[in-house]
Amino acid sequence: MDVSSRQPETIDTAVVPASPFERIGGHEVLRAISNRFYDLMESEPGYAALRSIHAEDLTHMRGALASFLAGWAGGPRDWFEGNPGKCMMSLHAPFRISRELGAQWAACMQRAIRETETADAQVAEAMSDVLFRMASGMGRD
């Protein structure tokens, strides 16, 4: 077979898998998860210690978390472009985050994801697992 006569392979973009951002349901779902997370933090006594370390008005945080999750899941990277060189670990480094607070954050986020209707339960579960590990890693006593 003459190798020089081969046509270059093309990538069929129709088979490129969707990003986790698209699979979970995009901005709408991530905003719903973020809002549920902060609603739980504000209303559930089990998250009182976590709530106490946040600002009184959570409006900015609700939007920031949803924007972070969007970029982190492969969607628009607005949060990352607005916070160059930052990551969740570096942003939280100045705060004393105990293992208890990390566990509260993780439990609250897992519950928010579980209680929000998503387009893809498998992606939601994977996101919940990764965020749980990230929050657990922030805890230091």
Side-chain angles (χ1 to χ4, degrees), residues 108-128:
C108 189
M109 180 53 75
Q110 284 188 316
R111 186 171 164 193
I113 293 169
R114 190 174 54 249
E115 293 179 3
T116 301
E117 187 174 333
T118 62
D120 187 323
Q122 184 179 9
V123 170
E125 184 176 335
M127 186 171 97
S128 179

Side-chain angles (χ1 to χ4, degrees), residues 35 38-39 41-42 50-65:
N35 284 329
Y38 287 109
D39 289 347
M41 191 184 359
E42 288 188 305
L50 179 63
R51 177 63 184 98
S52 73
I53 67 166
H54 287 80
E56 186 175 327
D57 182 1
L58 295 172
T59 304
H60 173 74
M61 295 302 302
R62 288 171 185 268
L65 177 59

Side-chain angles (χ1 to χ4, degrees), residues 14-116:
V15 297
V16 174
S19 68
F21 171 79
E22 295 164 322
R23 288 179 57 193
I24 202 165
H27 279 298
E28 182 180 338
V29 169
L30 295 174
R31 277 191 294 270
I33 289 170
S34 178
N35 284 329
R36 184 65 185 140
F37 172 79
Y38 287 109
D39 289 347
L40 288 167
M41 191 184 359
E42 288 188 305
S43 65
E44 294 290 325
Y47 306 126
L50 179 63
R51 177 63 184 98
S52 73
I53 67 166
H54 287 80
E56 186 175 327
D57 182 1
L58 295 172
T59 304
H60 173 74
M61 295 302 302
R62 288 171 185 268
L65 177 59
S67 182
F68 168 80
L69 292 174
W72 178 75
R77 301 204 37 95
D78 300 340
W79 186 91
F80 292 92
E81 290 168 7
N83 297 281
K86 304 285 184 185
C87 70
M88 283 296 121
M89 298 301 267
S90 65
L91 284 173
H92 290 85
F95 304 101
R96 181 172 164 81
I97 299 175
S98 66
R99 288 189 180 100
E100 177 189 353
L101 282 177
Q104 279 187 24
W105 193 98
C108 189
M109 180 53 75
Q110 284 188 316
R111 186 171 164 193
I113 293 169
R114 190 174 54 249
E115 293 179 3
T116 301

